[in-house]
Amino acid sequence: MGEIHTELKRVEEEELGHKQAKVDIWKYVFGFVEMAVVKSAIELGIADTIETHGNFPMTLSELSSTLGCSASHLYRIMRFLIHRGIFKETKTSQLGSPAYSQTPLSHMLMRSGEHSMAALLLLESSTPMLAPWDGLSARILGTASSAFEAANSDDLWSYTMANPAHSQLLNEAMGSIARVNVAAIVDKCGDLFEGIETVVDVGGGNGTALGLLVKAYPWIRGINFDLPHVVCVAEKIDCVENVGGDMFDFIPKADVAFIMSVLHDWGDDECIRILKKCREAISEDKGKVIIIEAVIEKDNKKEDKLSNVRLMLDMIMMAHTNTGKERTLNEWEYVLNEAGFSRFSVRPIDALPSVIEAFP
């Protein structure tokens, strides 16, 4: 009887699996639709427009009139976004006409604001960043050294340098990530910069991260270090000096080298070279390198709500860079040891990356 029960259970589970597969397959067939619709919502300025309306829901006619678009098309867009919890809908006294209001998620789609992620979505949905995905299988088969280069005739960094508009969007996108990450760092790692006087942000982009750090830790002086074409348009911030250069050649001296969302762009050999330059830059007594990067968990029991996003980010590295990748704890240990660090620690935070502290 036990064997029959086990077999019946197996058949039942298999049938349920087939039924679920018939549902799940559609999210892969039409997976691109969500990004495309959300991109259109950002470009139309839907969240920004509702925000300016004040504390009252905005009717479909008011929203379509303000945006200057078709009410019928806008209604269908909003129906899609509401179904995904991006906006809220209420009925008005105007014969059941819908009205719309913001949610925490829609606030993140505004073009500006503390929690805005609009620039990152616009970057990842831009033509240069989408095109490499069409060549991902060729990249895996080894018939193309770089999917991005095959699609855009240049690697990501050369393309960015030659296209100011893309460079600006990239810096704005990295700035949006910086705001999320630094807020989590300050919340979870308040002691991170105790006793530290100077910090060099390696690959600091437009200075967003360092500006937030010197505000949270007002005793530190910052050096925002990136390629010359990047820092020449960086924001001027009190207590922060913008310095141009190449991290593979030198890194300005400081007590701490802070490096966020940079090392995952590179393979192990390049990563080790950058880390060695970071080690040379920090002071002997209280120096350390603070790395803000994802750590891929090998043990499924340790997975959190962002584990799947970290795996997606690894696919992005494969599509957009020549050698970049997200790393497991063992892989971080390897590059840090090869770069000459004596020890390191990892602190999870409520964000995509962790805080990795490496000591000489």
Side-chain angles (χ1 to χ4, degrees):
M1 289 292 293
E3 291 180 359
I4 294 173
H5 177 74
T6 300
E7 178 62 17
L8 288 172
K9 186 177 180 181
R10 184 193 67 78
V11 171
E12 183 179 324
E13 288 176 349
E14 191 172 287
E15 288 177 353
L16 288 172
H18 284 304
K19 288 180 180 178
Q20 187 61 44
K22 290 177 181 179
V23 174
D24 289 345
I25 189 62
W26 293 108
K27 68 182 179 182
Y28 301 106
V29 174
F30 294 131
F32 67 94
V33 174
E34 287 189 339
M35 173 183 272
V37 175
V38 173
K39 178 184 181 181
S40 73
I42 294 171
E43 291 175 334
L44 289 168
I46 294 175
D48 305 84
T49 303
I50 294 175
E51 183 71 11
T52 60
H53 193 64
N55 296 323
F56 300 99
M58 196 169 190
T59 66
L60 175 63
S61 59
E62 289 172 332
L63 186 57
S64 63
S65 177
T66 304
L67 296 177
C69 65
S70 160
S72 61
H73 287 157
L74 181 61
Y75 171 76
R76 290 160 64 190
I77 289 281
M78 294 304 293
R79 180 174 60 187
F80 182 95
L81 295 170
I82 288 163
H83 188 260
R84 282 150 183 81
I86 296 175
F87 292 98
K88 289 189 296 186
E89 179 183 2
T90 57
K91 297 296 182 183
T92 69
S93 58
Q94 303 174 17
L95 299 176
S97 175
Y100 309 110
S101 54
Q102 296 267 59
T103 68
L105 189 51
S106 68
H107 274 107
M108 299 181 78
L109 300 181
M110 293 171 59
R111 295 300 292 260
S112 61
E114 183 182 355
H115 303 294
S116 173
M117 295 289 277
L120 181 59
L121 195 142
L122 291 176
L123 173 72
E124 294 300 336
S125 60
S126 67
T127 299
M129 302 301 263
L130 282 180
W133 292 105
D134 195 43
L136 188 61
S137 55
R139 169 86 160 91
I140 295 167
L141 290 168
T143 55
S145 58
S146 163
F148 188 94
E149 191 169 349
N152 296 291
S153 303
D154 253 330
D155 63 58
L156 176 60
W157 316 119
S158 299
Y159 181 89
T160 302
M161 190 181 298
N163 293 271
H166 185 79
S167 179
Q168 180 180 347
L169 183 56
L170 177 64
N171 285 324
E172 289 173 357
M174 294 303 101
S176 68
I177 293 174
R179 284 188 288 273
V180 172
N181 290 346
V182 172
I185 292 166
V186 173
D187 182 48
K188 297 296 182 182
C189 305
D191 62 337
L192 195 59
F193 294 96
E194 284 184 1
I196 300 301
E197 295 177 11
T198 55
V199 176
V200 55
D201 187 356
V202 182
N206 62 8
T208 298
L210 204 47
L212 293 168
L213 287 174
V214 298
K215 184 177 180 180
Y217 307 97
W219 59 85
I220 63 176
R221 181 176 64 83
I223 302 169
N224 182 46
F225 180 68
D226 211 313
L227 293 169
H229 78 277
V230 176
V231 297
C232 74
V233 294
E235 183 182 353
K236 305 299 180 185
I237 302 169
D238 289 342
C239 299
V240 174
E241 177 188 5
N242 291 309
V243 176
D246 188 332
M247 63 186 172
F248 288 102
D249 294 332
F250 83 100
I251 292 171
K253 298 287 185 182
D255 294 334
V256 164
F258 179 88
I259 184 164
M260 178 167 63
S261 303
V262 171
L263 296 174
H264 70 169
D265 293 329
W266 304 95
D268 287 351
D269 291 343
E270 297 95 338
C271 192
I272 291 164
R273 284 174 58 196
I274 296 166
L275 285 168
K276 283 181 176 179
K277 292 297 179 184
C278 289
R279 190 171 178 274
E280 291 171 8
I282 61 178
S283 57
E284 289 292 332
D285 51 349
K286 53 187 175 183
K288 62 181 176 179
V289 177
I290 298 174
I291 302 163
I292 312 299
E293 292 279 7
V295 178
I296 300 292
E297 295 289 354
K298 294 178 68 176
D299 186 351
N300 292 337
K301 294 178 182 178
K302 295 181 180 179
E303 288 192 351
D304 60 28
K305 292 180 180 179
L306 291 171
S307 294
N308 188 51
V309 185
R310 296 184 187 105
L311 293 174
M312 286 193 284
L313 191 58
D314 187 44
M315 295 298 97
I316 289 171
M317 292 302 105
M318 189 183 297
H320 291 164
T321 71
N322 290 4
T323 57
K325 62 180 179 179
E326 301 304 324
R327 291 177 167 85
T328 64
L329 186 61
N330 288 342
E331 289 171 321
W332 279 117
E333 182 177 20
Y334 169 74
V335 295
L336 288 166
N337 286 341
E338 289 296 307
F341 291 91
S342 62
R343 60 189 177 90
F344 73 96
S345 62
V346 178
R347 294 200 237 181
I349 54 177
D350 289 335
L352 198 59
S354 294
V355 174
I356 304 171
E357 294 176 85
F359 303 90

